[in-house]
Each structure stands twice: as C-alpha cells, then as structure tokens.
Amino acid sequence: MSLNNLTLELRSYSAETDNHLHDYHQLVLPVSGQLDISVGNQSGRVDSDQAAIISAGKDHGFSGSEGNCFVVADIPDQLAPEFEQLPAFIHLNPALNQYVRFLHQQLQQYNSASTQRQMLLLLIQLLQEQCGHQLRLDRRIAVARNYLDQHFNTAISQRQLAAVASLSPRQLGELFRKQLGMTPQQYVIEKRMQQAWQLLEQGHLSIQQVADAVGYSSLAAFSDRFRRHFDIPPSYFRRVGK
C-alpha cells in the first residue's frame, strides 16, 4: 500500500465471522452497533467509546451486530509505524469521540480525495497525541523527532540532528529507523509533503510560496518530489480550484 493510498470510509460488517490480514494498519472507530474483533491473541469489542487498532500483518477476525456502522481508516504502515506499538483496543477520549462524530457526518456527504486525506491525517495526529505515552519512544529519538517537527523546512544534517539527540550519526540512524520505521530524512520528506498538501489545498499561496514554506528553494525540485510522493503534480490543486 503506497503512501497516497489512504482510505477513510463508513463500513458495516456481517454477523458471520471473517478472518484475514493486510499489509497496512486499520483503525475501526464506533458509530453505532458493536463489532467483536480478535487481533492475534487478543479479543475485544468496538462499542460506544472503544476503538480497535489493527496493525499491519496482524491476523484478525470480526463479527458485527445488527445495524452496525463504523468509521474505518486504512493507513500505510510507513505513515504511522508507531501504531505497531499500541494496544489493539483503546479508549477514545472526548476529543476523539467528538472527531469521530464529525467524520461520520462528513463521510455521509461527498468529499474529495484530498479532503478525506486531510481528515485522516488529523485523525492520526489525534490518536498519536492521546496514545503518545504508550509509544515507549527512546527519549533521544523523541527529542530528535520533536526537533524535526519544528525545523522540517530548514536544512538539517544528520550530524546536527545527532548532536541534538546526544547520539552518534550511526546510532541516530539505526535507532530512528527501528522506532519510527523510517530514516530521519524520510521523516522530514513526509512532514514537508503533508504540510505542502495542506497549503496547496487552502489555495492562499502560489506553488512557489508553498515550496519556499516547506523548505524547497527550487520549484522544479519541489514539484518533482510532490509528484513522486502523491502521484499528482502541485498544479493539480490550481486546476481543481478553478
């Protein structure tokens, strides 16, 4: 599943138990009814204020009650590798519960692929914020990630980031990849591309201004990276906006 193949939709499940696995993460969030799920050797229920996180490669089975409905998100494992560290069932705090209700309302209407992507990215962010204490990130990697979050639009060398994290460049690269599923450079690219998507969709800035805002002085380099990342050029947003 490529990074641009995120899916966010409403689904219902039959009462007949089904088992399978897939190479992407899946979030199952409650709207109505119940869904009994087994994930590996864990069993639980998506009901009212409890959601399920099915990490990539995990065998799972499920059976739904009558009249069930759920918000379901399919997420490439590269986009949220830390989901592998989270429990299969999590309690939804009030902020997440409110956002799930918002998603349910929005998904009953027509939404563009770009709008659905942004709704899903915010959902991932809210989950990461709620479950951050359970991710068990090495303190040094957490420091490095926070630094990248704040400076992703500037040039940062591996040696500079390693110094921030009090690690050698080799240690930083190995530990960052092990805990977050990607290299620091890949993390920066993902942050830049997500921010660029949001800015382009808002339509307030020119493509060159968006490129500058996310750290690309060369418009050609930015356009090439964006196209390779999302399979569409930045100019797509300008055509859609006309």
Side-chain angles (χ1 to χ4, degrees):
M1 188 178 194
S2 66
L3 287 175
N4 56 314
N5 287 335
L6 300 104
T7 302
L8 182 66
E9 60 187 13
L10 296 175
R11 297 181 193 169
S12 297
Y13 296 90
S14 70
E16 184 177 346
T17 301
D18 187 20
N19 287 81
H20 63 243
L21 55 82
H22 33 64
D23 62 356
Y24 49 86
H25 302 313
Q26 189 171 78
L27 306 177
V28 184
L29 305 148
V31 173
S32 62
Q34 302 173 346
L35 186 66
D36 292 314
I37 305 182
S38 60
V39 182
N41 59 2
Q42 300 181 63
S43 296
R45 173 173 290 175
V46 179
D47 178 17
S48 182
D49 58 356
Q50 181 162 277
I53 300 179
I54 305 165
S55 59
K58 282 279 189 180
D59 182 68
H60 55 282
F62 46 86
S63 174
S65 66
E66 184 176 352
N68 67 78
C69 180
F70 303 90
V71 173
V72 180
D74 296 337
I75 304 169
D77 59 343
Q78 310 100 301
L79 191 60
E82 59 268 40
F83 280 6
E84 294 181 2
Q85 303 178 44
L86 294 177
F89 300 94
I90 62 168
H91 176 81
L92 297 179
N93 64 21
L96 267 169
N97 251 325
Q98 182 177 358
Y99 191 60
V100 172
R101 289 194 292 272
F102 167 77
L103 290 176
H104 178 224
Q105 293 173 351
Q106 291 299 309
L107 291 173
Q108 293 180 88
Q109 309 168 25
Y110 171 76
N111 291 284
S112 67
S114 59
T115 299
Q116 287 197 18
R117 179 183 177 86
Q118 292 311 312
M119 290 192 297
L120 181 48
L121 290 175
L122 179 54
L123 173 61
I124 293 171
Q125 180 182 337
L126 290 172
L127 277 168
Q128 289 170 333
E129 290 174 358
Q130 175 177 320
C131 302
H133 66 287
Q134 300 181 59
L135 295 178
R136 302 187 300 278
L137 279 185
D138 184 286
R139 179 189 59 80
R140 297 163 296 180
I141 296 304
V143 168
R145 184 174 70 170
N146 289 339
Y147 187 84
L148 292 178
D149 287 343
Q150 297 171 25
H151 301 90
F152 68 89
N153 58 351
T154 62
I156 304 171
S157 69
Q158 184 91 341
R159 186 172 298 278
Q160 178 185 354
L161 185 63
V164 169
S166 300
L167 291 166
S168 71
R170 181 185 62 79
Q171 289 174 321
L172 172 69
E174 292 178 354
L175 194 54
F176 200 99
R177 178 188 287 274
K178 179 180 179 180
Q179 296 220 324
L180 294 177
M182 63 184 81
T183 67
Q185 179 62 20
Q186 290 169 329
Y187 185 86
V188 166
I189 290 172
E190 183 60 37
K191 292 291 292 186
R192 287 181 171 186
M193 292 299 100
Q194 288 184 25
Q195 180 66 15
W197 184 291
Q198 293 178 18
L199 293 174
L200 287 166
E201 190 172 43
Q202 290 168 8
H204 304 312
L205 302 177
S206 69
I207 296 176
Q208 179 65 68
Q209 288 173 319
V210 171
D212 293 338
V214 299
Y216 289 88
S217 57
S218 167
L219 178 58
F222 166 71
S223 297
D224 179 64
R225 170 59 68 181
F226 193 93
R227 182 191 293 271
R228 285 189 285 126
H229 201 79
F230 294 116
D231 290 335
I232 57 173
S235 58
Y236 165 83
F237 293 88
R238 299 300 173 257
R239 294 196 299 269
V240 170
K242 291 182 179 179

